[in-house]
Amino acid sequence: MNRSPQSDPSTTGFPAQEAYLVIEQKPRDKAERSRLTKLRQYVQHHTHQTDLRDLAPAVRELMGPGYQIGCGSSHIWILPLAGSDMPAVPQRLAIVADRLTTTLQDWNGPRVSTRPQ
């Protein structure tokens, strides 16, 4: 399997990350659902990263001006802003995280048991 130099930890000093999108709140409308669907597709096509901050510009572009986007080296969070027709949501709408170090799930996904079987 060929890896780009950006995803090779030996060239950057950072461990590889596997990006995924978790939608934590129900989309407020059809347009938001569409933006999140496009974002999920984008993230699925750019999973292998050394620093998730590299995806932040695309997240900002795909989500548009109605969202506050913040990031760290292993996550990008999306918070809806209040608009003329939408109230602000005080909780995160979605997060792009590293699948290798997190176990987050979509708002409507099956609950994951943390108890041993």
Side-chain angles (χ1 to χ4, degrees):
M1 176 168 92
N2 288 337
R3 287 190 145 180
S4 72
Q6 296 163 332
S7 64
D8 182 358
S10 65
T11 62
T12 64
F14 294 110
Q17 295 179 335
E18 188 177 319
Y20 72 116
L21 175 68
V22 178
I23 301 169
E24 297 181 308
Q25 300 294 320
K26 181 178 180 179
R28 298 178 292 175
D29 61 15
K30 215 180 218 183
E32 188 167 84
R33 184 178 4 259
S34 176
R35 284 189 290 275
L36 289 167
T37 297
K38 289 176 185 173
L39 179 57
R40 187 180 302 267
Q41 291 168 348
Y42 181 85
V43 171
Q44 287 172 337
H45 285 96
H46 296 86
T47 57
H48 299 292
Q49 299 292 318
T50 53
D51 190 329
L52 292 185
R53 290 177 286 202
D54 293 342
L55 297 178
V59 171
R60 286 184 184 97
E61 184 178 329
L62 289 165
M63 292 306 295
Y67 301 86
Q68 182 179 6
I69 311 294
C71 59
S73 61
S74 63
H75 67 282
I76 302 168
W77 51 264
I78 302 164
L79 183 69
L81 298 174
S84 58
D85 60 342
M86 292 288 198
V89 177
Q91 297 172 330
R92 238 179 10 215
L93 171 64
I95 186 167
V96 177
D98 175 18
R99 186 177 305 279
L100 302 175
T101 60
T102 62
T103 56
L104 303 168
Q105 61 188 25
D106 284 345
W107 69 275
N108 62 348
R111 296 291 172 214
V112 177
S113 174
T114 57
R115 293 185 301 155
Q117 298 290 329

